[in-house]
Amino acid sequence: MSRIAYVNGMYVPHHEACVHIEDRGYQFADGVYEVFALHQGKLVGEKGHMERLAHSLAELRIDWPVSRRALAVIIAQVARRNHVRDGLVYLQITRGVARRDHSFPEDSESALVLTARRAPPLDKEALRQGVDVITIPDIRWKRHDIKSVSLLPNILGKQQAREAGAYEAWMVNDDAMVTEGTSSNAWIVTKDGALVTHNASHAILNGITRLSVLEAAAEAGLGFEERPFSVDEAMQAKEAFVTSSTSHVKAVTKIDGQSVGNGHVGELTSRLLDLYVDFIEAKGGPQNTGAWN
Ligand code: PDD
């Protein structure tokens, strides 16, 4: 089966899909993106992703390339044309093509690219295999709430994790607080049993998976704290995990080589994975998507 991509109004074979060399995404990383998970043929958290996309575009003053309604149709089409039931849809919008100049061009049109690919269906057993994370300095700019395609610090961090045999790198700010992973949100269950993840602010990307887990936890009557936590607190935590559209709820059993709790997947982590899957299957994704208004 040949893969199909969407590029600026056309559905084209993936291997022929290309953009202009003076696209500002290529020149300056002047663009934003979203990654949607597809679970059993349905997009997870579509409304949340769209709200966050609207926020990213507005903050960077990039115009919508097509209407929001048209974009929803294109996303569904790209998934359908690639026969993806379980997998990912990747969407990127840049400020478009213009003569190279740092300031905004006056007349460029936003460029839109989408691809989709299959991935193995969500596998709870695999997600309960604990992974290692390392901690690294957070060297990014100060607007992590914007899902910018400018990802160099994230790429370098993820590579460092890979070279250390770890799954993810948790980024640590100048106050020794963990902000988030290079492509996921970071969570701990403290030694006193509190479920903690960084509050939504400019310091993190407010994950759609994060929002689903928070809503699922609230529905189940589980308490949580949205606040920064330190590396020390994480090292003493009972449990840890990461969330993202690609990792769902993934248990973390080692931080910087040291076992988290008893070194096994935590009870609450395991329960939250079940709650998360039930939640997205029942509700499709977070209902409270006003976080970006
Ligand atoms: N990354 N934090 C960062 C820095 C991220 O890049 C991501 C997602 C998340 C989790 O967001 P969500 O739950 O909405 O996927 C948090 C995507 C998957 C990526 O870059 O591939």
Side-chain angles (χ1 to χ4, degrees):
M1 186 206 73
S2 62
R3 285 179 72 195
I4 302 292
Y6 175 95
V7 185
N8 294 324
M10 307 232 283
Y11 295 93
V12 291
H14 189 271
H15 65 276
E16 284 173 18
C18 54
V19 291
H20 197 283
I21 55 165
E22 287 206 293
D23 187 287
R24 289 177 64 93
Y26 180 65
Q27 296 282 358
F28 298 115
D30 187 2
V32 302
Y33 75 108
E34 281 294 333
V35 182
F36 300 76
L38 270 135
H39 175 62
Q40 298 177 346
K42 294 206 181 100
L43 285 164
V44 179
E46 183 176 7
K47 186 154 176 278
H49 284 285
M50 289 298 226
E51 291 294 324
R52 189 171 66 189
L53 178 63
H55 171 75
S56 298
L57 290 171
E59 291 301 297
L60 299 181
R61 290 194 277 152
I62 295 176
D63 293 333
W64 284 79
V66 295
S67 71
R68 195 167 154 156
R69 188 174 292 189
L71 189 56
V73 173
I74 296 165
I75 294 166
Q77 274 292 319
V78 170
R80 194 182 65 78
R81 290 181 189 228
N82 288 284
H83 307 284
V84 179
R85 253 185 75 73
D86 292 282
L88 298 166
V89 174
Y90 177 90
L91 173 165
Q92 177 165 321
I93 298 172
T94 71
R95 205 180 303 275
V97 177
R99 192 177 70 109
R100 193 176 190 284
D101 188 354
H102 284 60
S103 58
F104 296 176
E106 270 172 18
D107 52 2
S108 69
E109 276 178 27
S110 302
L112 173 61
V113 169
L114 283 99
T115 55
R117 70 163 192 247
R118 289 183 189 167
L122 189 152
D123 176 350
K124 286 189 183 174
E125 207 177 311
L127 292 169
R128 288 189 172 109
Q129 304 292 316
V131 291
D132 296 16
V133 301
I134 58 167
T135 59
I136 59 168
D138 193 339
I139 58 168
R140 298 174 297 166
W141 70 327
K142 294 184 177 156
R143 291 302 304 274
H144 313 147
D145 55 309
I146 299 171
K147 199 159 173 61
S148 155
V149 294
S150 172
L151 288 170
L152 263 183
N154 308 58
I155 288 164
L156 294 175
K158 186 77 92 186
Q159 183 60 22
Q160 199 177 328
R162 288 290 179 272
E163 287 172 9
Y167 180 79
E168 178 62 297
W170 280 4
M171 296 179 283
V172 179
N173 68 17
D174 292 346
D175 301 324
M177 296 292 176
V178 174
T179 51
E180 60 183 334
T182 63
S183 64
S184 59
N185 290 115
W187 302 67
I188 55 168
V189 178
T190 66
K191 62 177 184 337
D192 306 322
L195 174 63
V196 183
T197 193
H198 200 295
N199 51 302
S201 69
H202 288 182
I204 64 159
L205 184 80
N206 192 359
I208 306 306
T209 322
R210 172 188 181 279
L211 289 172
S212 287
V213 171
L214 289 176
E215 282 186 30
E219 272 187 6
L222 298 170
F224 52 80
E225 296 172 18
E226 291 180 86
R227 61 164 174 85
F229 58 84
S230 67
V231 178
D232 275 356
E233 204 177 2
M235 292 306 234
Q236 292 170 36
K238 274 208 267 199
E239 305 182 25
F241 59 96
V242 297
T243 57
S244 76
S245 299
T246 45
S247 296
H248 313 291
V249 175
K250 178 93 181 140
V252 170
T253 45
K254 264 190 189 163
I255 303 173
D256 286 338
Q258 192 185 300
S259 289
V260 178
N262 63 10
H264 297 291
V265 173
E267 230 172 84
L268 188 54
T269 304
S270 186
R271 174 143 184 239
L272 285 168
L273 171 58
D274 286 334
L275 290 171
Y276 170 72
V277 175
D278 291 348
F279 180 82
I280 59 166
E281 289 179 356
K283 300 260 170 84
Q287 306 298 297
N288 175 19
T289 54
W292 295 278
N293 295 333

